[in-house]
Amino acid sequence: MTTCNNIAELSWTLSAPAASKPAATGIKRKFSSSISSPVSKFSPPKKARSSSNTVCIGTKRSRSNSESDDDDYSAQPPAKKTQKGESARASIYPNGRWVRALDQSSNSWSDKIMAMMRGNTPNMNTQLSQGMEWWNNKDEVLTEADHWAKERLIRDANGVFDSVKSRNTMTSKLADLVSTQVALELERRLSLVTGSAASSVDDIQDTLRELACDITTCQQQQQHTLFDIAAYNKAKDEKRGSTDSALAAFEEWVRPPLATSTDSLDDDDIHTAKKIHESAMSFILFVVQHIDTLIRALDTGPFSRYLESYYQLLPCTRPRPQSSGNTDASEFEAGIKFQHALTGIELLTDFHSKNMVALIEARSGKTRRTVDKAYAQLMQRTRSIYRNQPNRRFAWGLTVCDNEVRVCLFSNDAAFSSSALDMTTAAGRRQFVELLANFALCEKDQLGYDRGILWNPEHKCWTVECPDAAEKSSSPATTKTYYFDKVLLAADGMFGRRTRCYLVTDEKPTGGGITPKFVLKDAWPEAEEDPVHDKRDEVQIMHRITTELAQSDVEDLVYPKLDAGGRVHIDSNGEVFEDSMKRILGPLFSLRMPAGAAIPFRAHKRLAMSPIGESLSTVESVHEFIAVLGDAMRCHSELLNRCNILHRDISSNNILVVREEGKPARGLLIDFDCALDLSGSQGPNLETRGTIPFMSINNLAKSDVERTALDDWESLIYLICWCATKGFAPDSRRSSEELRELPINRWRTGSADDIGDYKKDHLRTLSTISGRITENFHLVKDIDVLQNLAEDLYMDLFQNANLRKDGTCDGSRYRGSELQINRKMGIKRNPFKERLEKKSEITTALLKTMTEAWKSSRSKL
């Protein structure tokens, strides 16, 4: 019998509830046999179950506390009251997205889990205050987007206007000329300036002669028509009816208001939201018609080559289905798209986010609350741009609150909003006109488009240029062309790495469709500006994995193989530069987030890999699930031993199922964005990385104990428990209501600290993890085998009696998951530090347990 000299441990052992199962003693259960158990032991609560659709994905975006990312499980908003006075809780889905409680019934819980696990959400690790001064309506439940408006929005950032000015000096000057003339034409038509104050055609000619001197000689000027006056006047006359109609629709909107006794208008302003929406779109229509007329007249002689980037802007709107007769502008979807300058300009009703340059959100009123709601709604809708535009890097948007327009630029970590443009003043109108002129003439990458991903109408597919840097992730020298017609993983989030995955081939399509050979990953991870010092560079890590693991002698090892990859570069007007968020934002990059944090440096990276895998949710049995996990963790150990690479993000979306003809399903470990190269590491690894529901207790607590492979193995236990509780077969998974009632749901809601506390409580002893977690595994064939595996892994990691020396508690004397304090002896025993001393022995035991299970399950497939 093992003795223990730790009084605190002894007292805890005596007070703990009796275990329902004997503790493992180092002799593992036989996985080839099935242990019969009473049905009631595994039966879920008797509630209606709903099916859910599975989604196949090729990779995921990892989460971290230090990096904004796709899923956020870290904070829960405070409770609010409904307008009817009933108690309502701000509900949180497993990825931390806040929604109205009444909206939860629209789709099945598991459907939303899968959809949201693929999205991007911000990371908010601070507890939210009960009294949020920024939000003054206590009768409404806060949504995820409302929190974005508070924690992600940098206001009065007027540098957004410079971000869209053409990099070409001459094109920028022409845009200034166009905006000046259009603004003066607007004021003249509004009769707010006298005719003599308005610019004449002669003024345009004089300005153009000055510009022409920069690019031609005076003799050459005489040989070219600088401005087609006849065409300009004819076009203006032809569009007179359309522009007059647009003018009439917005004229009242831009008129200075009558003197009032208050400084600002409230939400009951005389302008309804619908009228504001219509006025704003009419104003845009008027301006872009005049921009088009003027640019067509300029597109002659020496200026033609500087107007090659011109695209017509087209205002688009579409009413949403209405459930009542109100006039809320939220019933409208509005935005701006562009097209080649080939057709006329009109207000379009074929709105679709797949071709919008910028979305527009209009509201009545301009109180702080109204403006923030407009921001929140605009951000929520802008997510559809990323989801439906595979070649979108960042996005633009506009809010219109009464007569005030604000311009927004959305980056991976922050949203930047300009000061309000007062449309009742000539200066405000002029600045809006200038923005639209720059939109029309700037380079496409300045609007957020990716020059390396283009639609090929001939073959009805996309082409994507992937860097092929040969272990130098910053080299722009060579690229490799791939083709795809299927988006495996869309960027469905507003902030974070915004990872996309495409099923691609390097063979040019011949008309018979595309047969994919690789998964191409496109993402914006945090990085070091100097690639040489970027220890977390996934491209360099993948080069090493592909090279090193090819020499591995591990049986039937499955690992990702890199075909090409590197940092993305952009070629704009002959200038080649690295595509980074710092380059995109310019001076905006130096601004601080609302909470004071700096904006992290992100580099645009792209890499093509094989083999192609499916989502872990596609496993068809317990034994297939165990076999897949076994492959992934054998690869994990080989990466550590042979490559010195620690994955740091074992989670449900980072293990895929590879199905090849004639072979059983195998597991593929992917996504090395959070991985760390331990070669030549300076100091302990203390970063908090991973996906919050699967993070180790050590990680969640942000402790000063080094993160090691033990944290990844702990994540595997949480992964097994979650998948086994939820169920495997799509038509028999547990419903959202059932999952919500189970203790394991506490691992997925609330703050990181809360989740860590729940995990510590559930993992105190074998009895607690069995009674609260594993005994709630969903009843399917062979579920007892998976229960045994989870408990054996738990014993290896948390209660490994075989590591005790001489029958004492030395070595792994820690039992359970709580800090042990012996006040009498003045001893504090930190389990994480003690476990670290025996890291090698513990990881060996864990791998042995997993390998035995893998062999047993493989034999049954």
Side-chain angles (χ1 to χ4, degrees), residues 69-80:
D69 237 327
D70 311 16
D71 292 344
D72 173 32
Y73 305 79
S74 58
Q76 185 166 352
K80 296 286 182 179

Side-chain angles (χ1 to χ4, degrees), residues 154-161 407 409 415-419 588 591:
I154 300 176
R155 304 169 191 267
D156 301 323
N158 290 329
V160 296
F161 296 109
V407 184
L409 186 156
F416 303 87
S417 171
S418 73
S419 301
L588 294 173
L591 299 180

Side-chain angles (χ1 to χ4, degrees), residues 172-188 193 197-200 203-204 207 211 232 286-287 290-291 294 298 426 429-438 441:
S172 180
K173 290 180 178 180
L174 290 172
D176 288 341
L177 170 66
V178 169
S179 60
T180 298
Q181 298 305 318
V182 173
L184 287 172
E185 177 68 16
L186 170 63
E187 300 305 312
R188 186 183 68 80
V193 297
S199 178
S200 66
D203 295 328
I204 299 176
T207 303
L211 295 179
Y232 177 63
F286 178 92
V287 171
H290 282 280
I291 289 175
L294 191 52
L298 289 172
R429 293 189 290 269
R430 165 64 189 271
Q431 200 163 10
F432 194 12
V433 171
E434 184 178 340
L435 173 77
L436 295 173
N438 284 323
L441 287 170

Side-chain angles (χ1 to χ4, degrees), residues 366-534:
K366 47 189 175 183
T367 63
R368 177 63 177 265
R369 171 180 169 276
T370 301
V371 173
D372 282 354
K373 286 299 290 183
Y375 283 137
Q377 186 65 41
L378 179 62
M379 291 184 197
Q380 188 65 31
R381 290 182 176 172
T382 298
R383 291 175 53 178
S384 64
I385 283 185
Y386 296 120
R387 181 171 60 250
N388 292 308
Q389 296 185 20
N391 59 339
R392 200 61 182 267
R393 296 153 53 242
F394 62 92
W396 292 86
L398 301 170
T399 64
V400 183
C401 297
D402 272 355
N403 312 95
E404 295 179 349
V405 174
R406 292 172 176 83
V407 184
C408 299
L409 186 156
F410 301 112
S411 73
N412 293 73
D413 295 282
F416 303 87
S417 171
S418 73
S419 301
L421 307 182
D422 187 349
M423 301 305 293
T424 66
T425 67
R429 293 189 290 269
R430 165 64 189 271
Q431 200 163 10
F432 194 12
V433 171
E434 184 178 340
L435 173 77
L436 295 173
N438 284 323
F439 270 175
L441 287 170
C442 70
E443 287 74 28
K444 286 190 69 174
D445 64 273
Q446 291 180 274
L447 293 175
Y449 291 94
D450 194 329
R451 292 174 177 267
I453 303 180
L454 300 173
W455 176 251
N456 186 327
E458 178 184 355
H459 299 292
K460 296 182 179 180
C461 69
W462 293 88
T463 62
V464 52
E465 298 295 326
C466 182
D468 193 6
E471 299 188 20
K472 296 179 181 179
S473 63
S474 63
S475 172
T478 59
T479 60
K480 186 173 181 179
T481 303
Y482 296 90
Y483 307 88
F484 70 92
D485 56 7
K486 295 181 180 65
V487 177
L488 190 63
L489 180 67
D492 193 25
M494 191 64 195
F495 299 105
R497 285 179 292 165
R498 214 172 285 136
T499 302
R500 295 180 173 93
C501 290
Y502 314 116
L503 291 175
V504 303
T505 180
D506 56 357
E507 298 176 1
K508 191 171 183 179
T510 58
I514 290 177
T515 301
K517 295 167 56 180
F518 310 98
V519 172
L520 189 143
K521 177 182 177 181
D522 183 283
W524 288 81
E526 290 185 32
E528 297 293 334
E529 288 193 50
D530 183 357
V532 175
H533 297 101
D534 194 358

Side-chain angles (χ1 to χ4, degrees), residues 229-249:
I229 299 174
Y232 177 63
N233 289 329
K234 180 180 179 182
K236 283 178 61 178
D237 291 340
E238 290 175 349
K239 295 180 180 179
R240 185 76 186 201
S242 177
T243 56
D244 282 347
S245 177
L247 180 69

Side-chain angles (χ1 to χ4, degrees), residues 318-324 326-333 381:
R318 179 179 64 185
R320 299 169 68 88
Q322 298 184 19
S323 57
S324 63
N326 61 36
T327 55
D328 187 354
S330 64
E331 294 175 356
F332 292 86
E333 293 179 306
R381 290 182 176 172

Side-chain angles (χ1 to χ4, degrees), residues 654-703:
N654 282 347
I655 297 176
L656 301 184
V657 183
V658 177
R659 301 186 188 278
E660 298 175 338
E661 188 174 354
K663 294 183 179 181
R666 298 186 295 167
L668 176 68
L669 183 63
I670 62 165
D671 197 346
F672 292 84
D673 273 341
C674 288
L676 183 66
D677 181 0
L678 301 178
S679 304
S681 177
Q682 299 294 323
N685 163 34
L686 298 178
E687 282 188 308
T688 298
R689 295 283 166 183
T691 306
I692 289 181
F694 306 105
M695 275 187 186
S696 67
I697 297 170
N698 188 30
N699 234 337
L700 292 166
K702 306 179 186 67
S703 77

